[in-house]
Amino acid sequence: MIGGLFIYNHKGEVLISRVYRNDIGRNAVDAFRVNVIHARQQVRSPVSNIARTSFFHVKRSNIWLAAVTKQNVNAAMVFEFLYKMCDVMAAYFGKISEENIKNNFVLIYELLDEILDFGYPQNSETGALKTFITQQGIKGQHQTKEEQSQITSQVTGQIGWRREGIKYRRNELFLDVLESVNLLMSPQGQVLSAHVSGRVVMKSYLSGMPECKFGMNDKIVIDKQGKGGVTDEAGKSELGGSSGKQSIAIDDCTFHQCVRLSRFDSERSISFIPPDGDYELMRYRTTKDIILPFRVIPLVREVGRTKLEVKVVIKSNFKPSLLAQKIEVRIPTPLTTSGVQVICMKGKAKYKASENAIVWKIKRMAGMKESQISAEIELLPTNDKKKWARPPISMNFEVPFAPSGLKVRYLKVFESKLNYSDHDVIKWVRYIGRSGIYETRC
Amino acid sequence: MPAVSKGDGMRGLAVFISDIRNCKSKEAEIKRINKELANIRSKFKGDKALDGYSKKKYVCKLLFIFLLGHDIDFGHMEAVNLLSSNKYTEKQIGYLFISVLVNSNSELIRLINNAIKNDLSSRNPTFMCLALHCIANVGSREMAEAFAGEIPRILVAGDTMDSVKQSAALCLLRLYKTSPDLVLMGEWTSRVVHLLNDQHMGVVTAAISLITCLSQKNPDEFKTCVSLAVSRLSRIVSSASTDLQDYTYYFVPAPWLSCKLLRLLQCYPPPEDGAVKGRLVECLETILNKAQEPPKSKKVQHSNAKNAILFEAISLIIHYDSEPNLLVRACNQLGQFLQHRETNLRYLALESMCTLASSEFSHEAVKTHIETVINALKTERDVSVRQRAADLLYAMCDRSNAKQIVAEMLSYLETADYSIREEMVLKVAILAEKYAVDYSWYVDTILNLIRIAGDYVSEEVWYRVIQIVINRDDVQGYAAKTVFEALQAPACHENMVKVGGYILGEFGNLIAGDPRSSPLVQFNLLHSKFHLCSVPTRALLLSAYIKFINLFPETKATIQEVLRSDSQIRNSDVELQQRAVEYLKLSSIASTDVLATVLEEMPPFPERESSILAKLKKKKGPGAVSELEEGRREGGELNGGGERGGDASVMATSNASTPSPSADLLGLRSAAPVGSAAPSAGSLLVDVFSEGGPATASASVNDDGFLRDLEQPTEVSDSLLVEGPGDSDSAPPSVASEDPAPPLPEADELLNKFVCKNNGVLFENQLLQIGIKSEYRQNLGRMYLFYGNKTSVQFSSFCTTVTCPGDLQAQLNVQTKPVEPLVEGGAQVQQVINIECLTDFVDAPLLNIKFRYGGALQNVTLKLPVTINKFFQPTDMASHDFFQRWKQLSQPQQEAQKIFKAGQGMDTEVLKAKLLGLGTALLENVDPNPENYVCAGVIQTKGQQVGCLLRLEPNAQAQMYRLTLRSSKDTVSKRLCDLLAEQF
C-alpha cells in the first residue's frame, strides 16, 4: 500500500506529488529531499527509512521517483510498480526528463489516478491505458458509446490487455531476444562470477484473438522430449556434439501477465494471447555455460615510482562470420596520473582525465580476432603512501547472438475464428547480446 | 588582505570556478574536477619549471578543490616553493595553502618552518605578519616548539613595527592556548605587561588579550598589570571623543580596548592600593555618568559601543561587590534599561540584574524593579528575554515578595513558552516551599501548579505536597477539601488525580461530614477519573479505595463491587490485578480491627526512620521509595520495626528498572548483610504488598529527604542571599577563599543515618542529590560521592571542599580529588575521598558544596558520614573469652551505658542487621539471656587498636533498651554509646 508518490528533479524540487493516504504528510516530501537527494554522502540504498516512513526510490537520468509508505509493504511490489510507472511514462511521452515531466504533468496525474488506487496498484498495461487515457485530451470525449463500453469490457474483462476486433492486413510478429552478459574475471583469466539476464521482447500485429505458443531450447523441455520418444533425434544430437549444447538451463524467469502460468507449471509450455503492439514476454537469468564474447588479457607493470606500463589484449570468441559492434574498453588510470601515451593497433584510444580512465573504442570486430593496446602512464610522486586500488578494466559491446545460448525453437500462432494459419504470419527473430557489467581485474 | 588586483587576476581560476558553479549535477562536478586535477598534475610534473604566477594559480585551484571537499595529496611542495617568492600575492597564497592543508608531515614541516623563519627575520613587516598569521592559524605543537621562543622576542623588541607587534601578540596567545607548557613567559613578563603603556592602541588591544589569558593562569606574575590597566582605562575614559582619532568608534573612545581592560580587571580582586582603587572607582563612576548623558549620535553603533562598556563595567562592579554606592547606581542604570526599546538591552539588563540580586548591597535595589520585571515576563515578545525575567524573579524573591512573585509566575505559566515551562514549574515549587509561611497557601500553590502545568510537574513536586500534608495536622482538612474541589473539574491532570487519590484516601474522613462530599460522592469522584489514568495512578487509586473501606465502612459494598469487576480482577496488568485480588480478599476476610490496623493512617515521618527510605531511594531512584511506602502504609503496625525486613523484600523484587542518578550505587556490599536478615512476620506482609515492582513506582509518596528540606528551607535561602555575590570569578582559589555556609541543622541526623550503613543518599533537595558509597579496610577508608544534577540546567562553578574542623585535623586525614566545575543537567559527577583514621575521633568532617544554578549561588554544608565505628574489625570469641575481657575492662571510665526508650519497633532481625552494620561481630550464644545482643570488635586507627565490647539488652514490655559499651579507651566508649543510642 503505497502512501504517496513523489517525483523530484536533480535539485530536489518536487515536480509531481501525489498522496494517496492520510498517514503521509507534506513533510515527507522534504524528508526525502534532505535525507537522500541532498545527503552529504551518496545514498546507495534504494530503500531509506526516515522517521518510521519508508521511501523507495529509483532514479532515471536526473529524475528521482520516490514511493512513500508508513506500512510494511512488499518492497518488491513497490519497485515493480515504480519500474512499471517508468515504462508507462516512457510509452506516453518518451524519455523521462524534467522537461517532459513538466510538459505532461496533467497526464501524469491522470495516469497516477488510474494505476494506483488508495495505494494499491491497478492495471498498468500501457496498451490498455492508452485506450482511455489519451493525450489528445478533448478528443477523448467524442468516443462513441460503443467504444466506451468496449473499453469498459476490456479493462474489466478477463483479458484486460487486448481488445477484440483487431484487424491487420498483414499479420506480423517481431521477436527480439535481448541479453546482457555480466562478468568478473581475475587477471589470470579465471571466471569469478558470470551471469546473463535476458528479455524476450515482442511486437505483434495480429488480427483477432490469436493464441500463441512460444518454444525455446529450455533444458527441462528438451530433456522431457528426449525421454518421451524421438530417440533418433537424441542420438543425432549426441553424434553432432560438436555444435555444443542444445539446451540451456534457465535459473529463473518471469512472464508477462498474458502468459498462462498454469500451463507453464504443468507442461512448461509458454502459451498466451498476446497484447497488441510492444510488450515484454518474459525475463530470465542463466548462470551456466555462458558464451563469453570477449576475453580481456591485461598486463600492468610498474616501472619505478613515476611510471606505469599497461598492455591490454582483447580476443573475440565467437563465430568469425559474426560481427561485434560498439566495442569500448575502459582502462582505469591511477589518481596521480600526470601524462599518458597510448598506442593501439585498431580503433581509437584516448585518455579521459575527467573519468580517470583510458577509453579505447573499436567500431566493429569479427569473431576469433584479437587486438591490442599499450599505454605508458606517467605518475606524479606524492607524499602519501596510499596504494592505487587498481579498479577492474571494464568493457562494453554488442554482439548479434545470445550469450546464454538461448534459441527460439518455434512461435506458433493459432486463430480459430479468423481464417489465417500459422504459415500466413510473417515472423522476425533477432538476437542481441550486450555487455552488462563486464569486468576484468588487472 | 589586499584584494587581488586586476593585473594579478587569475583568469584560469575564475573560469574553473565558474565551470564548477555551472555544473548541473554532482557527477558533472566530479568530472570537471578530475579533469582539472589531471591538468594540474601534468603541469606540476617535474620536467618543466613553472613561473610563480602559474604556480600560484594552480595552488589556488587545488585549494578550491580541497575546500569543495575533495582529497588533495599533492601540490604541497609547490606551495612551499611559493613561500620563498618575493611577491606578496604568491607568498600569501602559499601561506594560505599551508594553513589550510598542512599535516604533520615531517619533511615538509621542516621546509615550512625554515621559510617562516626566514620571513620572521626578514625585517619586511608584511612578510613577518604573513608568517605570524600562518603560525597562529596552524597553531600546531610543532609550530609552538619551533617558534615559542622567537615570538616573545619580536613582541617586545624595540624596533618592531606596531602592526607586527599586534600579530605577534595574538600569535603568541594562540600558541599559549594550544601548548601552554611551551610558552615560557618568565623573562618577558614585565615587558609584556608594559605593552599596556604602548603608544599604539592596536598593540595595546592585542596585548591585553594575551595578558588576560596569561593572567588567568598565573595571576600573581601579572599582578602589576592592574595598576597599569587602571591608569590606561582612566586615560581612555577621561579622554574627549576626538583624542584617540582612529580608535574612536562613533564618538566612543576605544570601546573594544575599554571592554578588554574591564574584563582583565575582573580577573583580580579589588586593588589594595587606595590611589589605584580611587582612580578605578572614579573611572567606573564616569562610565556610569556617561550612560546618563544624551547620546552623541543616533546611530545604533554608538549606543552599542557605549552600552558594551557599561555592561562590562557593571559586571566588574558586581565582581568586586564591595562598593554599595556603585552597586546601587548600576542597579538603577539597569532599571532604566529594563524599559528600553532595544530587546537586546532588556535581555542584558535582566541578566546582569540576576547577578546583582544575589549581592547583599543591591538586593533591595533590585527588588524595587519587581513590577517592571513582572511586566517583562508578561509582555516580552522574545522567549529568551522572558526566560531571563523569570530567572530574575527567582533570584530577587524573598519572604517579603514571595507571594506576589509566585502568583505572577503561576499566572504566567498558563501562557508560558513550552521550552521554559519545566524550569518555571521547578522554580515555582522551590519558591513556594522555601518561603511558605502558611501551608494552606503552599498547598493551594502546588495544586494550582499541577492544574496549570501538570505535564511539567515532576514526581518530586507532588511527593512533597503529600509529605507536608501528612506531617501537618492543621492543613489536612483544608487539603482534602481543596483537592476534592479541584477533582471536580471535568478534566484533571493525572498528577492531580494522584494527589487527590492519596489525600482523600488518607484524610477523606475529615470532609465526609459535609453531604456534598459524603464518602460515596468522594469515591465516585475518584472512580470517575480511574479509567483515564495510567497504570501507576490506577494502582495508587486502588490503594486509596482500600483505605476508603477502612475509613467509611458504608462504601465497602460498592468498592468490593468495583474490585471484583473483571476489569480489575482480571486486568492484564499484573500489578493492578494483584492489588485488586489482595485488597478484595483483605476487605472480605479481615475483621474491622485488623483492617483498621493494617490500613491505619500514615504516621508522620520522624527523622529517625529516614535511613531506610534514603537507602531505598539510593538504590532504585525516587520511584522505589514509593514501593516501600506502599508497604508501610498497608503494613502499618506490623511493619513497625521491620525496616530491614522491608528492605530485604524490596531487594528481592528490585530490578533496577528505574534509572536514577545514583542507580550505580547499588552495590553487593550493602546487599549482603541486608539479605542475610530473614524477613520477619511483619515484613512478610510488606513483601506481598510491595511485590509490584516498578509498576508501583509513582504510586506513592513520602520521602524523608523531602520532608527535611521542607523544614529547613529558610536557612538555605538565607545563606543563598548572603553568599551569592562576588563569585563571578570561576578561578578555584578565589572560590575557596569564600566562607562555606554553616552546616545544615539536620546534618547530624544525616550523619546518624549512616552509622550502620555505608551506602545511601546523603542529601537531596530539588536541585541536587548526593549519593555515597564507601568502603573501609582497617584504618583506611574510601568514599565515593556522587553529585547528581536533578535539573535540566547545568551547574556552573561547581566546587566541593572537605574540611576537618578543630581537633579532627589531627585525628583524621582526608584527601579529596577536585571535581569538574560544570555539571550538565541530569548528569552525575563522582568524587573520590580517601580517609585515614589517625586516632579515635568524635566530630565528622564537613563537606561544603558550592555551585551556581541559573546565576544564583547555592551553598550547602553537610557532615560527611565518617564515624569511629567505620573502622571496626569484627572479632569472634567464645562466651568464656568474652566475659573474661568484659571483666578486664571494668574500670568506670572504660564503660559507657545508656538506658533509652525504643525509637522504633524492637524487631530481632532488624536489630541484628543494625549491629552487623555497625561493623562488629555479633556473638551468638554468649549471653545467658537469649534476648540480649552481644558484640565485639576492634577499632583500627593508625596509632593504636581499641578493643570494644557491646551489650544491648532490650526490654520488650517497657519498650526500652539498655546499652552498655566497654572499651580500652574512655572516649571511644562514650562516642560509640552516643552514636548507637540514636540507632534503636
Side-chain angles (χ1 to χ4, degrees):
Chain A
M1 297 100 266
I2 296 166
L5 198 133
F6 307 123
I7 301 180
Y8 301 84
N9 67 4
H10 71 281
K11 288 183 207 150
E13 291 163 349
V14 187
L15 304 177
I16 299 286
S17 152
R18 179 74 171 86
V19 175
Y20 292 94
R21 283 169 177 258
N22 289 333
D23 54 355
I24 302 300
R26 290 277 152 200
N27 50 0
V29 185
D30 301 323
F32 182 77
R33 173 176 43 236
V34 172
N35 289 293
V36 179
I37 301 181
H38 291 166
R40 199 157 294 168
Q41 260 97 39
Q42 194 191 356
V43 176
R44 289 240 173 97
S45 160
V47 184
S48 344
N49 219 306
I50 306 158
R52 293 196 184 174
T53 311
S54 307
F55 292 83
F56 306 79
H57 75 262
V58 296
K59 211 179 162 194
R60 284 280 179 274
S61 65
N62 272 335
I63 297 298
W64 300 74
L65 274 89
V68 191
T69 182
K70 282 212 165 175
Q71 282 163 315
N72 185 15
V73 296
N74 182 345
M77 182 272 279
V78 177
F79 282 110
E80 181 63 30
F81 171 78
L82 286 175
Y83 290 132
K84 211 70 198 189
M85 167 88 196
C86 293
D87 291 347
V88 169
M89 288 198 293
Y92 268 93
F93 50 77
K95 196 170 165 271
I96 299 176
S97 66
E98 184 177 347
E99 199 178 323
N100 276 346
I101 287 178
K102 279 182 176 165
N103 290 340
N104 290 290
F105 81 93
V106 178
L107 172 73
I108 293 173
Y109 277 114
E110 209 173 338
L111 284 171
L112 282 175
D113 277 342
E114 197 54 48
I115 58 179
L116 264 186
D117 189 4
F118 195 47
Y120 293 94
Q122 307 292 313
N123 189 354
S124 53
E125 190 56 43
T126 317
L129 286 172
K130 277 195 170 170
T131 58
F132 54 92
I133 299 178
T134 55
Q135 280 159 296
Q136 280 78 29
I138 306 160
K139 193 189 157 203
Q141 289 177 354
H142 295 296
Q143 280 173 338
T144 60
K145 269 228 167 92
E146 287 144 50
E147 279 172 329
Q148 279 175 359
S149 68
Q150 200 184 356
I151 289 169
T152 313
S153 73
Q154 184 210 331
V155 171
T156 55
Q158 203 184 3
I159 302 168
W161 57 87
R162 187 179 182 93
R163 69 189 163 88
E164 293 200 41
I166 300 172
K167 274 219 169 67
Y168 287 103
R169 207 158 54 81
R170 247 156 70 108
N171 291 307
E172 264 185 311
L173 254 183
F174 297 85
L175 191 146
D176 290 350
V177 177
L178 306 174
E179 292 194 341
S180 78
V181 54
N182 299 283
L183 169 79
L184 182 64
M185 196 179 248
S186 77
Q188 288 75 34
Q190 195 186 355
V191 176
L192 300 174
S193 85
H195 74 267
V196 171
S197 57
R199 305 188 296 147
V200 177
V201 177
M202 292 182 76
K203 197 185 274 184
S204 58
Y205 301 110
L206 299 172
S207 315
M209 284 293 228
E211 171 87 32
C212 299
K213 205 169 171 196
F214 173 64
M216 58 182 179
N217 55 344
D218 182 2
K219 196 171 182 199
I220 298 172
V221 180
I222 301 279
D223 286 358
K224 211 190 265 174
Q225 284 175 350
K227 263 180 223 157
V230 202
T231 44
D232 213 28
E233 212 174 298
K236 245 186 224 167
S237 73
E238 253 171 60
L239 284 175
S242 61
S243 67
K245 59 199 168 103
Q246 292 279 309
S247 58
I248 60 161
I250 287 176
D251 282 20
D252 45 41
C253 53
T254 54
F255 293 103
H256 188 264
Q257 58 167 330
C258 64
V259 175
R260 293 197 180 83
L261 292 177
S262 57
R263 204 173 295 173
F264 180 75
D265 285 342
S266 56
E267 304 162 28
R268 225 175 154 81
S269 73
I270 302 166
S271 71
F272 55 96
I273 295 172
D276 199 38
D278 289 328
Y279 59 100
E280 184 185 289
L281 181 67
M282 74 179 282
R283 276 175 198 223
Y284 59 90
R285 199 169 67 91
T286 68
T287 49
K288 290 208 184 74
D289 302 324
I290 292 165
I291 306 158
L292 297 173
F294 284 95
R295 170 82 207 278
V296 178
I297 304 158
L299 204 83
V300 180
R301 204 159 67 92
E302 283 178 45
V303 188
R305 275 186 73 197
T306 58
K307 209 168 160 190
L308 200 69
E309 281 181 5
V310 182
K311 206 166 109 179
V312 177
V313 180
I314 56 168
K315 284 185 181 169
S316 57
N317 182 26
F318 45 88
K319 271 189 244 165
S321 57
L322 297 175
L323 269 183
Q325 284 181 308
K326 300 177 191 166
I327 301 152
E328 185 185 291
V329 182
R330 181 176 290 264
I331 305 160
T333 55
L335 293 173
T336 52
T337 306
S338 60
V340 177
Q341 273 92 47
V342 200
I343 309 162
C344 60
M345 308 189 308
K346 215 174 165 205
K348 281 178 194 162
K350 205 177 163 191
Y351 167 56
K352 285 204 171 165
S354 59
E355 290 154 46
N356 282 321
I358 299 169
V359 180
W360 176 26
K361 284 182 178 166
I362 303 170
K363 275 195 185 130
R364 248 175 244 107
M365 189 165 172
M368 305 314 272
K369 290 261 168 63
E370 70 172 62
S371 186
Q372 184 185 329
I373 183 173
S374 57
E376 256 186 42
I377 302 172
E378 283 173 76
L379 304 177
L380 190 76
T382 60
N383 34 34
D384 62 301
K385 310 281 178 287
K386 257 189 284 168
K387 216 172 165 333
W388 179 45
R390 289 204 184 193
I393 295 172
S394 62
M395 200 176 166
N396 289 319
F397 54 79
E398 203 178 292
V399 288
F401 61 91
S404 67
L406 181 130
K407 293 257 163 36
V408 177
R409 288 171 60 225
Y410 56 81
L411 178 61
K412 292 173 192 151
V413 180
F414 309 99
E415 171 51 85
S416 44
K417 284 183 198 151
L418 298 171
N419 271 337
Y420 69 93
S421 69
D422 187 33
H423 300 289
D424 302 332
V425 180
I426 307 161
K427 298 169 191 164
W428 307 86
V429 179
R430 183 162 66 154
Y431 298 94
I432 300 174
R434 291 203 180 94
S435 58
I437 297 166
Y438 200 87
E439 292 178 334
T440 308
R441 290 189 179 154
C442 60
Chain B
M1 192 201 290
V4 178
S5 66
K6 210 164 185 188
D8 263 345
M10 293 174 278
R11 213 181 109 72
L13 179 67
V15 169
F16 172 58
I17 292 176
S18 77
D19 276 2
I20 296 262
R21 296 237 164 109
N22 289 334
C23 280
K24 281 251 168 70
S25 65
K26 196 151 195 164
E27 291 75 29
E29 186 184 310
I30 290 171
K31 276 190 174 173
R32 180 69 184 91
I33 286 170
N34 279 338
K35 195 175 157 196
E36 194 60 43
L37 282 175
N39 176 34
I40 299 172
R41 281 197 299 263
S42 71
K43 290 288 196 291
F44 280 176
K45 210 161 46 180
D47 46 3
K48 47 189 177 265
L50 282 175
D51 58 351
Y53 166 77
S54 13
K55 232 184 242 175
K56 178 181 75 173
K57 185 174 76 183
Y58 293 127
V59 166
C60 258
K61 282 183 181 175
L62 283 180
L63 198 53
F64 184 75
I65 292 170
F66 176 77
L67 294 178
L68 283 176
H70 300 264
D71 276 344
I72 296 295
D73 48 10
F74 65 99
H76 299 79
M77 209 47 223
E78 282 71 18
V80 173
N81 285 345
L82 280 177
L83 295 187
S84 51
S85 158
N86 272 326
K87 273 196 189 148
Y88 173 79
T89 50
E90 286 166 22
K91 216 185 238 310
Q92 180 205 23
I93 295 294
Y95 273 122
L96 189 61
F97 187 89
I98 300 292
S99 334
V100 175
L101 265 139
V102 86
N103 47 17
S104 43
N105 184 317
S106 56
E107 52 187 306
L108 269 181
I109 281 286
R110 208 165 40 76
L111 286 171
I112 294 166
N113 283 355
N114 222 2
I116 292 177
K117 228 168 228 153
N118 285 340
D119 278 341
L120 283 183
S121 52
S122 72
R123 325 229 37 89
N124 179 337
T126 42
F127 290 179
M128 285 173 90
C129 278
L130 275 179
L132 286 168
H133 292 168
C134 179
I135 298 171
N137 279 332
V138 175
S140 66
R141 221 179 145 74
E142 290 84 4
M143 288 275 182
E145 271 164 11
F147 301 106
E150 175 87 357
I151 296 168
R153 206 178 46 72
I154 296 174
L155 177 60
V156 297
D159 54 350
T160 316
M161 294 265 293
D162 289 332
S163 60
V164 180
K165 270 190 188 169
Q166 273 176 300
S167 299
L170 293 175
C171 179
L172 195 58
L173 173 62
R174 165 70 202 246
L175 292 186
Y176 182 74
K177 277 181 178 163
T178 48
S179 22
D181 53 317
L182 291 176
V183 181
L184 302 169
M185 292 307 294
E187 43 188 317
W188 312 110
T189 304
S190 68
R191 297 179 72 181
V192 169
V193 169
H194 276 93
L195 284 176
L196 288 178
N197 274 337
D198 200 284
Q199 294 292 314
H200 193 264
M201 297 287 269
V203 176
V204 184
T205 315
I208 202 161
S209 296
L210 176 65
I211 293 168
T212 309
C213 182
L214 289 170
S215 61
Q216 271 162 358
K217 288 275 160 59
N218 327 299
D220 290 338
E221 283 180 39
F222 286 86
K223 226 169 194 163
T224 44
C225 70
V226 173
S227 60
L228 287 177
V230 169
S231 65
R232 186 93 218 187
L233 182 66
S234 83
R235 258 182 287 157
I236 295 171
V237 168
S238 57
S239 70
S241 56
T242 48
D243 284 2
L244 295 163
Q245 287 167 1
D246 284 354
Y247 286 86
T248 301
Y249 177 80
Y250 289 90
F251 306 105
V252 182
W256 280 275
L257 182 53
S258 313
C259 284
K260 283 185 175 180
L261 283 166
L262 288 164
R263 210 167 282 170
L264 173 63
L265 290 172
Q266 284 174 47
C267 298
Y268 289 95
E272 282 146 22
D273 184 354
V276 176
K277 189 170 185 186
R279 210 163 168 199
L280 179 58
V281 168
E282 204 176 291
C283 283
L284 293 172
E285 274 173 349
T286 320
I287 293 172
L288 287 174
N289 286 340
K290 274 194 181 170
Q292 296 293 339
E293 287 170 13
K296 290 186 180 124
S297 157
K298 278 194 178 141
K299 288 261 172 62
V300 67
Q301 289 94 331
H302 171 70
S303 58
N304 277 350
K306 217 164 96 173
N307 292 331
I309 300 175
L310 179 65
F311 276 108
E312 212 52 68
I314 288 175
S315 46
L316 181 65
I317 293 170
I318 295 170
H319 168 70
Y320 285 164
D321 195 22
S322 57
E323 301 286 332
N325 176 31
L326 284 177
L327 278 166
V328 171
R329 278 196 64 185
C331 185
N332 294 339
Q333 184 59 50
L334 290 177
Q336 288 180 14
F337 284 147
L338 281 183
Q339 279 154 321
H340 202 276
R341 217 157 27 83
E342 188 75 30
T343 312
N344 289 336
L345 265 185
R346 292 198 300 271
Y347 178 93
L348 289 168
L350 287 168
E351 199 184 27
S352 305
M353 267 210 179
C354 246
T355 34
L356 272 178
S358 49
S359 161
E360 56 178 321
F361 301 113
S362 52
H363 184 73
E364 287 305 316
V366 171
K367 268 165 68 183
T368 56
H369 300 289
I370 182 163
E371 292 303 333
T372 328
V373 179
I374 287 170
N375 199 32
L377 185 66
K378 282 180 187 158
T379 55
E380 273 300 342
R381 234 187 275 159
D382 190 320
V383 62
S384 60
V385 183
R386 291 199 299 268
Q387 161 104 52
R388 289 289 144 248
D391 282 350
L392 179 54
L393 276 183
Y394 176 70
M396 69 162 67
C397 187
D398 62 13
R399 204 171 283 279
S400 65
N401 54 13
K403 273 199 181 176
Q404 185 193 4
I405 287 182
V406 169
E408 290 297 346
M409 284 174 105
L410 262 183
S411 71
Y412 170 62
L413 250 185
E414 287 184 68
T415 51
D417 197 87
Y418 292 102
S419 56
I420 64 171
R421 272 196 190 180
E422 191 179 350
E423 208 187 318
M424 291 278 296
V425 166
L426 204 61
K427 282 182 169 154
V428 171
I430 292 175
L431 291 178
E433 195 188 300
K434 217 187 237 180
Y435 301 113
V437 195
D438 171 7
Y439 279 94
S440 56
W441 173 71
Y442 173 74
V443 171
D444 276 344
T445 308
I446 300 293
L447 288 183
N448 252 337
L449 194 64
I450 295 174
R451 189 174 53 76
I452 293 167
D455 285 340
Y456 301 89
V457 173
S458 57
E459 302 276 273
E460 287 85 351
V461 174
W462 73 263
Y463 285 174
R464 285 195 189 210
V465 193
I466 286 181
Q467 205 158 22
I468 289 198
V469 171
I470 297 240
N471 279 29
R472 302 211 165 244
D473 302 338
D474 45 337
V475 288
Q476 286 167 356
Y478 178 76
K481 195 163 138 284
T482 325
V483 288
F484 180 75
E485 277 160 13
L487 281 177
Q488 272 167 337
C492 283
H493 192 268
E494 195 163 331
N495 280 339
M496 182 70 89
V497 178
K498 286 180 187 167
V499 177
Y502 199 100
I503 289 186
L504 290 182
E506 291 292 334
F507 309 114
N509 53 338
L510 298 178
I511 55 166
D514 190 331
R516 278 170 301 172
S517 53
S518 71
L520 220 50
V521 174
Q522 284 184 35
F523 171 74
N524 285 336
L525 181 62
L526 273 185
H527 199 59
S528 68
K529 314 283 181 204
F530 187 88
H531 300 282
L532 303 171
C533 295
S534 62
V535 170
T537 312
R538 288 188 191 193
L540 185 145
L541 284 179
L542 285 181
S543 297
Y545 293 171
I546 188 78
K547 288 235 155 189
F548 266 43
I549 294 188
N550 177 39
L551 290 178
F552 319 115
E554 66 265 35
T555 59
K556 188 169 173 176
T558 324
I559 292 173
Q560 279 184 337
E561 195 55 44
V562 168
L563 289 176
R564 204 176 288 125
S565 72
D566 276 357
S567 61
Q568 309 301 350
I569 213 156
R570 299 211 177 138
N571 197 299
S572 59
D573 187 89
V574 183
E575 172 66 19
L576 290 184
Q577 193 186 85
Q578 185 169 3
R579 280 189 191 221
V581 171
E582 284 171 4
Y583 291 161
L584 185 61
K585 273 281 170 263
L586 183 68
S587 65
S588 47
I589 291 173
S591 68
T592 357
D593 291 349
V594 173
L595 263 186
T597 325
V598 172
L599 303 170
E600 204 193 25
E601 186 178 304
M602 288 292 291
F605 296 95
E607 302 290 323
R608 270 197 299 280
E609 286 188 17
S610 62
S611 65
I612 188 159
L613 295 169
K615 178 162 188 168
L616 268 180
K617 213 161 151 282
K618 167 200 80 180
K619 289 211 177 100
K620 295 189 64 184
V625 176
S626 55
E627 222 173 317
L628 177 91
E629 283 308 314
E630 205 64 21
R632 288 178 67 101
R633 235 169 74 202
E634 269 78 25
E637 289 278 272
L638 293 173
N639 192 23
E643 295 179 3
R644 286 281 167 178
D647 198 346
S649 73
V650 174
M651 291 292 295
T653 58
S654 89
N655 49 10
S657 66
T658 324
S660 92
S662 50
D664 57 331
L665 289 178
L666 179 67
L668 280 176
R669 247 183 89 86
S670 65
V674 170
S676 68
S680 64
S683 60
L684 208 68
L685 189 61
V686 176
D687 207 348
V688 170
F689 282 122
S690 61
E691 210 156 43
T696 48
S698 53
S700 176
V701 228
N702 310 26
D703 169 6
D704 263 21
F706 298 146
L707 188 68
R708 244 183 345 275
D709 289 339
L710 289 177
E711 289 182 343
Q712 54 78 37
T714 46
E715 281 83 356
V716 171
S717 63
D718 287 346
S719 64
L720 190 133
L721 296 180
V722 178
E723 294 296 328
D727 191 42
S728 55
D729 189 355
S730 62
S734 64
V735 170
S737 69
E738 224 173 89
D739 288 340
L744 296 174
E746 78 281 9
D748 276 323
E749 309 265 356
L750 290 173
L751 192 63
N752 281 331
K753 247 171 42 169
F754 282 90
V755 169
C756 290
K757 58 177 191 167
N758 287 334
N759 306 330
V761 173
L762 176 63
F763 171 79
E764 179 158 11
N765 62 16
Q766 287 196 324
L767 305 174
L768 179 72
Q769 184 189 49
I770 306 176
I772 281 196
K773 188 179 172 188
S774 49
E775 50 196 32
Y776 295 91
R777 188 165 301 135
Q778 307 215 324
N779 67 326
L780 299 176
R782 174 169 297 170
M783 189 176 272
Y784 299 90
L785 288 174
F786 299 88
Y787 303 100
N789 181 348
K790 289 170 69 181
T791 66
S792 52
V793 185
Q794 73 168 22
F795 295 159
S796 55
S797 317
F798 190 86
C799 166
T800 66
T801 40
V802 175
T803 49
C804 293
D807 292 342
L808 198 59
Q809 241 157 354
Q811 293 162 340
L812 212 58
N813 188 0
V814 182
Q815 291 171 333
T816 55
K817 292 185 180 155
V819 285
E820 288 290 308
L822 284 185
V823 185
E824 295 298 331
Q828 189 186 53
V829 294
Q830 181 190 342
Q831 185 179 31
V832 183
I833 299 179
N834 288 318
I835 303 156
E836 187 186 15
C837 177
L838 301 173
T839 176
D840 64 290
F841 58 95
V842 175
D843 281 332
L846 295 178
L847 168 71
N848 176 253
I849 302 130
K850 281 201 225 83
F851 58 92
R852 281 188 175 276
Y853 166 67
L857 181 77
Q858 310 283 334
N859 189 344
V860 179
T861 302
L862 301 164
K863 286 193 175 177
L864 267 190
V866 181
T867 45
I868 184 73
N869 67 300
K870 298 290 179 197
F871 304 97
F872 253 128
Q873 287 275 99
T875 25
D876 265 319
M877 52 182 76
S879 166
H880 160 75
D881 290 338
F882 181 83
F883 284 106
Q884 193 181 358
R885 291 188 196 192
W886 184 263
K887 281 181 194 120
Q888 278 169 6
L889 300 168
S890 56
Q891 287 168 24
Q893 71 269 27
Q894 286 175 331
E895 184 184 274
Q897 192 170 60
K898 262 196 183 175
I899 299 171
F900 53 91
K901 198 158 172 54
Q904 302 147 35
M906 298 177 83
D907 189 84
T908 331
E909 296 302 328
V910 175
L911 282 177
K912 277 189 186 172
K914 279 202 174 174
L915 288 170
L916 279 174
L918 190 65
T920 54
L922 184 62
L923 303 176
E924 306 275 357
N925 306 324
V926 170
D927 204 293
N929 181 356
E931 294 289 303
N932 292 354
Y933 302 92
V934 170
C935 302
V938 178
I939 289 183
Q940 306 267 359
T941 67
K942 198 183 179 193
Q944 62 185 123
Q945 301 189 337
V946 184
C948 262
L949 301 175
L950 177 152
R951 203 165 170 202
L952 181 70
E953 294 155 280
N955 180 345
Q957 268 166 345
Q959 290 282 311
M960 300 282 274
Y961 288 108
R962 183 165 72 187
L963 175 71
T964 318
L965 265 151
R966 287 188 180 187
S967 75
S968 49
K969 211 167 173 187
D970 50 349
T971 46
V972 174
S973 316
K974 176 111 185 39
R975 176 62 182 155
L976 279 175
C977 191
D978 290 345
L979 278 177
L980 274 178
E982 296 295 324
Q983 299 298 316
F984 301 106

